Amino acid sequence: MPHFTVVPVEDQHRTDYDNLEGLSWVDYSEPGGPPQQPPRDAYDSLSSDGHGNHKESSPFLNNSEAGKGGDYYDRNLALFEEELDIRPKVSSLLGKLVSYTNLTQGAKEHEEAENVEGSRRKVSKSPSMGTLMGVYLPCMQNIFGVILFLRLTWMVGTAGVMQSLLIVLICCCCTMLTAISMSAIATNGVVPAGGSYFMISRSLGPEFGGAVGLCFYLGTTFAGAMYILGAIEILLTYIAPGAAIFHPTGAHDTSNATLNNMRVYGTLFLTFMAVVVFVGVKYVNKFASLFLACVIISILSIYAGAIKSIFDPPVFPVCMLGNRTLSRDLFDICAKTTVVDNVTVTTSLTELFCPDNNLTSGLCDEYFHFNNVTEIAGIPGAASGILKDNVWSNYLEKGEILEKADQPSVDVPGHKNNLHLYVYTDIATTFMVLVGIFFPSVTGIMAGSNRSGDLKDAQKSIPIGTILAILTTSLVYFSCVLLFGACIEGVVLRDKYGDAVNKNLVVGTLSWPSPWVIVVGSFFSTCGAGLQSLTGAPRLLQAIAKDNIIPFLWVFGHGKANGEPTWALLLTALIAELGILIASLDMVAPILSMFFLMCYLFVNLACAVQTLLRTPNWRPRFKYYHWALSFLGMSICLALMFISSWYYALAAMLIAGMIYKYIEYQGAEKEWGDGIRGLSLSAARYALLRLEEGPPHTKNWRPQLLVLLKLDEDLHVKYPRLLTFASQLKAGKGLTIIGTAIQGNFLESYGEAQAAEQTIKNMIEIEKVKGFCQVVVASKVRDGISHLIQSCGLGGMKHNTVVLGWPYGWRQSEDPRAWKTFIDTVRCTTAAHLALLVPKTVSLYPSNHERYNEGNIDVWWIVHDGGMLMLLPFLLKQHKVWRKCKMRIFTVAQMDDNSIQMKKDLATFLYHLRIEAEVEVVEMQNSDISAYTYERTLMMEQRSQMLRQMRLTKTEREREAQLVKDRHSIVRLESLYSDEEDEGEAVPEKIQMTWTKDKYNSEKRNRNSAAENFRELISIKPNQSNVRRMHTAVKLNEVIVNRSHDARLVLLNMPGPPKNTDGDENYMEFLEVLTEGLERVLLVRGGGREVITIYS
């Protein structure tokens, strides 16, 4: 029994495939154990002598090969080893996936990069944030904002509880449906930096991505301005009113002074925040938890105050004059008179309405005189039943005084100068206005997706965290609407700035234990939200700039050494300053609502498009989505845009549309596998199937071109003016296919075909031709052209016209390939019922930059060929090169034709065709065949006979030489040229003659026959059929040259090739004679169908 010797094999180095495209090598050994060695095969070497002597190496892998760096286990992949560079091993692929880590999003990487030494010592940590800290709380912090504390009570008082609930419901439904769509997109793969921008751009393409990304950036920037304005409003109205720089000069100048204070302090705050973000984002991140705690404590204090109000409502009396609400901060006692030391004296309130402090004098305000001053509870409490008074809306116009409907009053006018003593509205309110102001309080749902790189399991955390955050915040909003309506007096709710409750924040009056909890908490939370906006917006702009889809933004992709987007921060601060200069929270809120709604609309659209197209890559882990929900969310977004402000909606759409068209115009060369491409494919498929239903009607017929180009040896286009002519004829309409055939073997010539295709595409771009490129590799050029004619196009989108170049120099060449290929192509187009256009002397055709300000396009209509001759000049005249040329139509009349009637009929025909052209009928006399015609025909036939004999003699010599060579080996040489008559005709590379007696005699006979052939050539008589054809060509040429020698372009019918292929060369001569002496000629051959009609 033979025994086997196991030879140890050294552990090999990793192959290049393991590090393919930066893949990290992964050791699949047990954790904690030593690196696992590859298993050693017992059959590495064999010994058959029974004594352990090594006789035979492994047939799979020998030691010398092993030392060259190949993996030992690659022996099992020998079948695939030649493709391992493009198809890496599974172990390499898994190594790539295992070692892949997301770059942390937001500001984390910038924060770590600021401490260079620390970052060097740090080991790269894997993302570790869960659903609560990574998604839920950040979304809560971004959703809860300034609107909740400053405007929600005012909205409830103005719109009433019912309509307020409706507003909250609509806005929350919008964000919930968007969150469902966003969850589907976010769980369909990894979402890197850029959040919503990345999702939309990769789903809908760079055009939509850039447009919506910039809209989202502008929305985030204006959100920063809104938060700053909210912080300033809290500061100057409730915390430190004395810090105001500008003071009202008169009773009615309060608004201007307030706006100026907002502008000055807002600019200071914005500058300070921008400096903080610039100096270090780590400070913003460290205080984020504090800001979130402020928000949560403030909201809890509202609930605590509402519960407390059931049995112990807070004391915030509201002073009423009749049914009008008085501004409490201007006086101390809510009465007309008071008793001081048993003496009745007038109060400061009376002094405000009566300049002489005399209630009985005529100087008192009339309304003050006839109505009583009463005091009502500002916070009646949840058990008071005030809810029924706040259920319905109470919309007011600008400048109206807040009134309580059930208070007794005498309806008399008061002095207009005393308006500042009442609480009045500063803006006109409607349902639509309130929607626009409230919507920013439900934005912020993208916070989780923006942090996907920090999450341990983003595809699980993003949907759960975001949807839970929306449910929580929606519950808070719904409950707050009910609590405010049930606890607070209606006039106090409608009091935006708390003038009726002594300049207290209205929501603060309900809170427990003190109004200052809400005031301070809301101030810090709005400051924090502003900082977060100024941190996030520049990074979003940086992500857009780095994608390089909007060229003029490239500068904003750069920043500090640690990646901090300095220039983007500067631009963000400047745009936010525009919002600060508006200085009104109520005016800024609808602006950012537009941009956020635009963003949410396209998130829903992206999900709907991907779902309906069922693209193979659309496999979200989040399964609770549906295209109908996405469309509903999209519809709500669109409706909210126009409900809140139709002119802002149009402006936002205009901005997005301009950005879209700009990116499209610049030609964003990005392929992100977006859904719009899939949508285009679906639309194209649908359109192609519709086109298949039948051939186009004559009214819809237009030339769909297949332009056959010829390339030189360096793969350059030989006659680029063919493309120029095609672009002038098509003017960007219909189908244009640029095709060429390369001789060779496809397996060997693939690279050459790719280079030819790129060359043609470059030429297409230069000539501005809207079309497609098709390169075919075939063993023969004429076969390749035949394949192009047969197979180009798809379904109903096929060519119906072939544009073919003229074979120049065919007379001088001994090789018949060129003209034979030309005639074969003419026959192919005829067989396929395609029209044919042959521009002769195409190099003299005008370029797209030339203009013909005068001249004629002459049409020689000799035979009717479907109307192509009428249609082509009309189409050419649509182009600016030919626009000013006049069209002339000539037709030929024989002796037995009535030329006058022909001219009338032709003019009528053109009138019905709606084509403007001069009409001429040319009479051709029946003259005898001239000597010139006879001589020309004779020369043509002699030349053909001579070339045929030369080719025959050459072929016979080569065949005899081949017979000698074939005695030793049977070799079949393919023809180097594609257009020889017989495939068997081969040109050997080297001919070796072996002379025998027979060979000598054969050669002698060949010489004698050559002399006989020459004598036959001299005595040849021309064929009568050829003489007639030559006569026609000569006579027509004389007439055409006589009338059209100065025409810019001459179009004439192209006669068909002879049915007998022996006369092919004569056919070429006839065409040359027919077009002799004309500068630019377009030979036209119809496809056998009518292409023009007189009917509408």
Side-chain angles (χ1 to χ4, degrees):
M1 174 180 174
H3 71 275
F4 300 97
T5 303
V6 179
V7 178
V9 178
E10 296 294 328
D11 188 21
Q12 306 305 325
H13 297 291
R14 297 190 300 274
T15 64
D16 291 338
Y17 307 127
D18 285 325
N19 283 323
L20 184 66
E21 295 184 1
L23 306 185
S24 302
W25 185 75
V26 177
D27 184 12
Y28 287 98
S29 59
E30 291 295 325
Q36 194 171 10
Q37 296 292 330
R40 293 191 176 150
D41 197 338
Y43 297 94
D44 282 341
S45 59
L46 303 174
S47 177
S48 58
D49 62 356
H51 301 288
N53 296 324
H54 177 68
K55 286 281 185 76
E56 183 182 354
S57 296
S58 167
F60 303 109
L61 182 68
N62 57 38
N63 292 338
S64 62
E65 288 174 344
K68 292 177 183 176
D71 271 86
Y72 191 58
Y73 48 79
D74 274 355
R75 71 186 61 189
N76 299 317
L77 301 177
L79 283 174
F80 308 96
E81 62 187 7
E82 291 186 356
E83 294 183 320
L84 281 177
D85 54 340
I86 57 172
R87 293 178 173 87
K89 291 174 292 189
V90 174
S91 60
S92 301
L93 178 67
L94 292 176
K96 173 186 174 183
L97 296 177
V98 168
S99 60
Y100 177 81
T101 56
N102 293 321
L103 290 175
T104 54
Q105 268 67 58
K108 188 173 180 182
E109 67 273 20
H110 304 296
E111 177 186 334
E112 290 178 355
E114 286 182 359
N115 190 347
V116 179
E117 294 179 4
S119 64
R120 284 176 184 167
R121 290 194 301 269
K122 285 180 183 177
V123 180
S124 167
K125 294 181 180 179
S126 61
S128 59
M129 297 181 78
T131 304
L132 181 68
M133 296 301 295
V135 181
Y136 181 72
L137 291 179
C139 282
M140 292 264 290
Q141 181 182 3
N142 279 268
I143 294 172
F144 285 134
V146 65
I147 302 295
L148 171 64
F149 304 115
L150 294 184
R151 294 292 183 268
L152 188 58
T153 54
W154 171 71
M155 185 186 84
V156 173
T158 304
V161 172
M162 294 298 292
Q163 290 192 23
S164 296
L165 289 174
L166 180 61
I167 291 172
V168 174
L169 178 66
I170 293 172
C171 294
C172 290
C173 281
C174 176
T175 53
M176 177 60 79
L177 293 171
T178 304
I180 291 171
S181 299
M182 184 198 72
S183 298
I185 298 172
T187 57
N188 192 48
V190 181
V191 180
S196 60
Y197 159 69
F198 184 91
M199 287 190 292
I200 295 168
S201 62
R202 269 57 177 180
S203 296
L204 294 178
E207 294 88 358
F208 278 113
V212 180
L214 278 183
C215 284
F216 192 51
Y217 162 73
L218 291 172
T220 309
T221 304
F222 275 103
M226 184 189 75
Y227 290 130
I228 291 172
L229 289 173
I232 301 302
E233 183 177 312
I234 294 169
L235 176 70
L236 295 181
T237 308
Y238 309 113
I239 298 177
I245 299 172
F246 299 94
H247 300 281
T249 54
H252 302 286
D253 193 38
T254 53
S255 65
N256 289 333
T258 304
L259 293 178
N260 289 331
N261 284 320
M262 299 280 275
R263 291 181 181 118
V264 173
Y265 276 98
T267 304
L268 293 175
F269 265 55
L270 176 62
T271 306
F272 173 72
M273 288 182 178
V275 170
V276 170
V277 173
F278 176 76
V279 169
V281 180
K282 57 185 176 182
Y283 302 115
V284 179
N285 290 337
K286 284 178 180 176
F287 284 104
S289 301
L290 173 64
F291 298 141
L292 178 60
C294 290
V295 174
I296 294 173
I297 291 170
S298 299
I299 292 171
L300 290 176
S301 72
I302 295 173
Y303 286 108
I307 294 169
K308 179 178 174 292
S309 71
I310 297 173
F311 49 86
D312 185 16
V315 179
F316 283 97
V318 177
C319 192
M320 306 293 294
L321 178 60
N323 64 352
R324 296 180 180 179
T325 311
L326 294 171
S327 182
R328 191 59 187 263
D329 63 321
L330 299 175
F331 56 90
D332 51 355
I333 299 173
C334 182
K336 293 184 178 182
T337 59
T338 187
V339 177
V340 178
D341 297 332
N342 293 325
V343 178
T344 302
V345 295
T346 57
T347 61
S348 55
L349 176 62
T350 306
E351 293 176 4
L352 293 171
F353 283 95
C354 300
D356 59 352
N357 280 346
N358 187 351
L359 290 171
T360 59
S361 69
L363 297 175
C364 279
D365 184 280
E366 189 177 5
Y367 189 85
F368 181 77
H369 181 72
F370 284 103
N371 286 281
N372 295 323
V373 176
T374 55
E375 204 169 52
I376 61 173
I379 314 291
S384 64
I386 195 71
L387 178 63
K388 66 179 184 297
D389 295 333
N390 294 328
V391 168
W392 307 114
S393 61
N394 192 354
Y395 296 111
L396 301 172
E397 293 297 322
K398 183 178 180 180
E400 282 193 53
I401 298 170
L402 301 185
E403 298 178 349
K404 184 172 171 60
D406 57 355
Q407 283 290 105
S409 70
V410 179
D411 191 13
V412 291
H415 290 305
K416 291 183 179 179
N417 292 336
N418 293 329
L419 182 64
H420 67 286
L421 303 175
Y422 301 103
V423 180
Y424 59 93
T425 57
D426 59 341
I427 62 169
T429 52
T430 61
F431 180 82
M432 297 185 289
V433 169
L434 295 181
V435 169
I437 292 174
F438 176 75
F439 187 79
S441 63
V442 296
T443 60
I445 61 174
M446 300 288 183
S449 64
N450 291 346
R451 296 165 179 258
S452 62
D454 300 331
L455 301 173
K456 189 185 300 181
D457 186 357
Q459 300 197 356
K460 177 184 176 184
S461 297
I462 289 176
I464 295 174
T466 306
I467 292 173
L468 281 179
I470 293 175
L471 288 173
T472 306
T473 52
S474 301
L475 186 63
V476 169
Y477 286 134
F478 281 121
S479 59
C480 283
V481 168
L482 291 171
L483 289 175
F484 294 158
C487 298
I488 305 175
E489 173 60 48
V491 290
V492 178
L493 286 174
R494 289 188 288 280
D495 182 5
K496 187 187 289 185
Y497 302 108
D499 293 325
V501 285
N502 204 19
K503 285 291 184 182
N504 276 300
L505 183 62
V506 173
V507 69
T509 59
L510 181 63
S511 65
W512 179 87
S514 167
W516 285 100
V517 175
I518 292 279
V519 172
V520 174
S522 61
F523 176 76
F524 281 112
S525 69
T526 49
C527 288
L531 279 171
Q532 292 284 357
S533 297
L534 290 179
T535 304
R539 279 158 185 75
L540 179 59
L541 182 62
Q542 188 181 40
I544 298 171
K546 283 185 174 179
D547 267 344
N548 199 28
I549 57 173
I550 304 176
F552 66 81
L553 291 180
W554 67 270
V555 68
F556 300 109
H558 307 291
K560 291 197 292 188
N562 62 354
E564 192 71 26
T566 311
W567 293 106
L569 176 63
L570 180 62
L571 180 66
T572 302
L574 291 175
I575 296 174
E577 178 63 20
L578 296 177
I580 298 293
L581 293 177
I582 295 174
S584 170
L585 186 71
D586 302 322
M587 294 294 290
V588 174
I591 296 175
L592 66 100
S593 293
M594 288 306 116
F595 292 125
F596 278 122
L597 281 166
M598 181 81 74
C599 177
Y600 296 166
L601 184 149
F602 281 101
V603 169
N604 284 300
L605 177 63
C607 181
V609 166
Q610 298 277 34
T611 307
L612 287 173
L613 290 178
R614 296 191 183 97
T615 50
N617 191 52
W618 180 245
R619 302 184 298 274
R621 289 189 179 276
F622 181 78
K623 301 298 182 185
Y624 305 102
Y625 67 93
H626 193 270
W627 64 265
L629 293 177
S630 299
F631 269 115
L632 180 60
M634 191 171 67
S635 304
I636 293 175
C637 288
L638 192 63
L640 284 175
M641 288 176 70
F642 283 93
I643 285 172
S644 55
S645 176
W646 64 268
Y647 45 89
Y648 280 157
L650 291 177
M653 287 181 170
L654 181 64
I655 292 170
M658 289 170 63
I659 298 167
Y660 178 95
K661 294 306 291 183
Y662 174 78
I663 297 172
E664 187 181 55
Y665 174 75
Q666 287 291 327
E669 295 179 1
K670 302 285 182 184
E671 179 50 60
W672 289 330
D674 52 86
I676 292 298
R677 187 177 179 85
L679 194 63
S680 302
L681 286 171
S682 293
R685 173 180 165 274
Y686 173 77
L688 285 170
L689 289 173
R690 287 292 304 274
L691 287 175
E692 280 283 274
E693 292 176 3
H697 192 272
T698 305
K699 290 187 290 185
N700 299 326
W701 195 96
R702 66 166 55 246
Q704 316 290 3
L705 300 184
L706 169 61
V707 183
L708 296 174
L709 288 184
K710 188 173 183 180
L711 304 181
D712 59 18
E713 295 172 356
D714 298 325
L715 299 180
H716 293 146
V717 178
K718 211 165 185 180
Y719 302 111
R721 284 294 166 87
L722 275 175
L723 289 176
T724 310
F725 171 71
S727 70
Q728 292 169 6
L729 184 61
K730 298 294 291 179
K733 304 291 191 303
L735 174 71
T736 304
I737 302 173
I738 316 298
T740 190
I742 295 178
Q743 183 181 338
N745 186 302
F746 180 70
L747 297 177
E748 298 169 359
S749 305
Y750 177 73
E752 189 179 349
Q754 292 292 305
E757 187 171 344
Q758 192 56 48
T759 301
I760 294 174
K761 283 182 177 177
N762 293 339
M763 189 58 67
I764 286 174
E765 191 173 342
I766 292 169
E767 295 295 340
K768 294 182 172 57
V769 178
K770 305 289 185 185
F772 309 97
C773 176
Q774 183 79 49
V775 177
V776 169
V777 179
S779 57
K780 294 185 178 184
V781 172
R782 64 183 177 193
D783 289 345
I785 292 175
S786 176
H787 296 158
L788 284 171
I789 291 173
Q790 292 177 66
S791 61
C792 271
L794 181 64
M797 201 67 174
K798 291 180 72 71
H799 58 277
N800 55 29
T801 305
V802 177
V803 179
L804 179 64
W806 178 260
Y808 301 101
W810 67 272
R811 281 173 170 163
Q812 290 75 27
S813 173
E814 290 185 9
D815 183 14
R817 291 178 302 149
W819 57 266
K820 277 188 174 294
T821 302
F822 175 82
I823 295 174
D824 282 343
T825 306
V826 175
R827 288 196 172 104
C828 281
T829 56
T830 305
H833 299 289
L834 301 176
L836 177 66
L837 307 180
V838 181
K840 203 162 178 285
T841 59
V842 72
S843 56
L844 299 178
Y845 276 54
S847 69
N848 285 326
H849 304 293
E850 295 180 47
R851 301 286 184 280
Y852 285 151
N853 293 322
E854 57 182 2
N856 299 314
I857 298 176
D858 285 356
V859 176
W860 284 85
W861 191 19
I862 300 166
V863 293
H864 181 57
D865 218 358
M868 281 282 289
L869 286 169
M870 310 293 173
L871 188 61
L872 291 175
F874 172 77
L875 295 175
L876 279 174
K877 279 169 62 66
Q878 307 303 308
H879 196 273
K880 55 192 174 184
V881 172
W882 306 93
R883 189 166 293 150
K884 295 186 178 179
C885 291
K886 294 180 180 178
M887 184 174 163
R888 297 191 301 181
I889 295 182
F890 298 89
T891 189
V892 175
Q894 303 301 324
M895 286 297 295
D896 53 349
D897 293 330
N898 186 340
S899 57
I900 298 174
Q901 188 62 38
M902 277 180 69
K903 186 171 183 178
K904 287 180 181 178
D905 293 344
L906 182 55
T908 306
F909 180 57
L910 290 177
Y911 174 78
H912 287 306
L913 288 176
R914 289 91 62 205
I915 292 177
E916 295 181 8
E918 294 181 22
V919 176
E920 287 195 39
V921 176
V922 179
E923 296 180 352
M924 290 188 68
Q925 305 296 330
N926 283 338
S927 60
D928 294 333
I929 295 173
S930 64
Y932 169 76
T933 302
Y934 191 86
E935 186 68 25
R936 188 84 186 246
T937 311
L938 180 62
M939 288 174 59
M940 175 187 73
E941 294 198 358
Q942 284 178 343
R943 179 180 180 279
S944 300
Q945 182 71 15
M946 184 171 63
L947 289 174
R948 194 177 298 114
Q949 289 176 1
M950 288 172 61
R951 284 196 296 273
L952 187 63
T953 305
K954 181 181 177 184
T955 305
E956 286 177 353
R957 284 202 309 269
E958 290 165 355
R959 280 177 179 167
E960 292 202 5
Q962 191 66 30
L963 286 173
V964 176
K965 193 171 183 181
D966 287 348
R967 288 177 185 175
H968 305 285
S969 61
I970 300 173
V971 179
R972 184 180 183 279
L973 294 176
E974 291 286 347
S975 174
L976 292 176
Y977 302 106
S978 62
D979 297 82
E980 293 291 344
E981 294 91 338
D982 299 315
E983 292 187 7
E985 294 181 13
V987 184
E989 295 178 4
K990 189 174 180 181
I991 302 172
Q992 296 180 351
M993 303 292 290
T994 303
W995 288 97
T996 63
K997 189 175 181 180
D998 294 338
K999 291 287 178 188
Y1000 174 75
N1001 292 332
S1002 175
E1003 183 64 23
K1004 192 174 181 181
R1005 284 195 301 272
N1006 286 340
R1007 289 176 184 171
N1008 293 333
S1009 64
E1012 292 174 7
N1013 291 336
F1014 182 71
R1015 283 192 292 272
E1016 287 178 9
L1017 200 62
I1018 295 173
S1019 61
I1020 195 172
K1021 289 186 177 181
N1023 183 287
Q1024 288 302 311
S1025 175
N1026 288 341
V1027 172
R1028 287 199 311 275
R1029 289 188 175 89
M1030 182 64 76
H1031 176 69
T1032 303
V1034 169
K1035 294 297 292 181
L1036 278 174
N1037 178 256
E1038 286 177 3
V1039 173
I1040 294 171
V1041 170
N1042 184 38
R1043 300 295 185 96
S1044 303
H1045 60 275
D1046 58 347
R1048 298 294 187 186
L1049 180 65
V1050 176
L1051 288 84
L1052 57 90
N1053 291 109
M1054 179 179 179
K1059 295 179 180 178
N1060 185 1
T1061 56
D1062 293 339
D1064 284 357
E1065 196 169 3
N1066 299 337
Y1067 172 69
M1068 296 298 297
E1069 189 70 33
F1070 295 145
L1071 293 181
E1072 286 282 11
V1073 172
L1074 184 62
T1075 57
E1076 219 168 37
L1078 297 172
E1079 189 176 19
R1080 281 177 289 271
V1081 183
L1082 180 62
L1083 296 170
V1084 180
R1085 187 162 172 74
R1089 63 161 292 171
E1090 292 293 330
V1091 300
I1092 196 164
T1093 179
I1094 63 174
Y1095 299 106
S1096 61

